[in-house]
Amino acid sequence: ARIQALARGRSVELAVGFAATREWALSGALSGARYLHFASHALADAAHPESAGLALSALDREGNAIESLLRLEDLRRLRLDADLVVLSACSTRGGRTLAGEGPQSLSRGFIDAGAARVVGTLWPVRDEAATVLIESFYRHLLTERRSPAAALRSAQRELRAQARFAAPHDWAGFVLEGDWR
């Protein structure tokens, strides 16, 4: 909702709760988006990257259990034209590195699907710090019209300047991959 407020005047589709399902994500609903933001839990497994995924709704609207994990292999099947994907979840940049291929991570899955840039995380992030950083990032990106790299750098500096978030663990784990411009 905070990001949606910063994006005033732009078309925003908000999928939360029961609407944020694996089926919805795979339906093509993401294909026309310029920006995609996932605030979720993530699973990363360096030994078995195929089991990595973003946790979406585990229940449908009727309360029935559904497959909830948007897996790395699912991401690679998507066809995206997004300028930016933001993964506000733990360890989305983590994964086994294959020679000649690079890291097999959730971030990489979105790049493989066609996203120009992905903001991901190198380690588990604290919810409070991530919320403050991401809101600052979008303010710089959408309101001040900075590049994703400049917006992330500014948000990290803002967090670092606050005593409660000064530890690198709170701000340094967010990284930008892909086209740096």
Side-chain angles (χ1 to χ4, degrees):
R2 291 177 184 164
I3 296 167
Q4 190 173 28
L6 290 169
R8 59 185 164 264
R10 294 175 179 89
S11 175
V12 175
E13 180 177 351
L14 188 61
V16 297
F18 299 125
T21 64
R22 178 178 179 268
E23 181 181 342
W24 169 80
L26 295 174
S27 73
L30 307 177
S31 63
R34 183 171 173 214
Y35 298 123
L36 294 171
H37 180 92
F38 289 87
S40 179
H41 292 289
L43 303 174
D45 186 339
H48 304 285
E50 66 279 0
S51 62
L54 289 171
L56 300 177
S57 181
L59 301 173
D60 66 15
R61 292 184 189 279
E62 289 77 39
N64 300 308
I66 56 174
E67 173 63 41
S68 65
L69 203 58
L70 186 60
R71 297 183 187 281
L72 180 57
E73 65 188 62
D74 295 329
L75 300 178
R76 290 185 167 139
R77 288 196 314 258
L78 295 175
R79 294 295 166 249
L80 302 177
D81 193 28
D83 291 333
L84 177 67
V85 175
V86 177
L87 302 175
S88 186
C90 295
S91 305
T92 57
R93 174 56 179 75
R96 182 174 46 182
T97 299
L98 300 178
E101 292 292 322
Q104 302 305 296
S105 65
L106 297 173
S107 295
R108 174 65 184 271
F110 279 101
I111 289 173
D112 290 349
R117 295 165 203 83
V118 177
V119 172
T121 55
L122 296 171
W123 51 70
V125 294
R126 286 192 317 135
D127 287 345
E128 183 184 13
T131 300
V132 172
L133 184 135
I134 291 298
E135 187 173 357
S136 174
F137 169 76
Y138 277 108
R139 185 173 61 339
H140 293 299
L141 182 74
L142 299 174
T143 304
E144 299 172 13
R145 299 184 187 273
R146 293 187 187 183
S147 71
L152 181 59
R153 183 175 60 246
S154 294
Q156 288 173 318
R157 285 180 175 167
E158 284 180 18
L159 238 67
R160 190 177 72 192
Q162 297 180 39
R164 65 185 177 156
F165 301 126
H169 186 268
D170 284 331
W171 55 266
F174 287 85
V175 294
L176 176 68
E177 292 184 76
D179 184 354
W180 57 271
R181 290 170 284 180

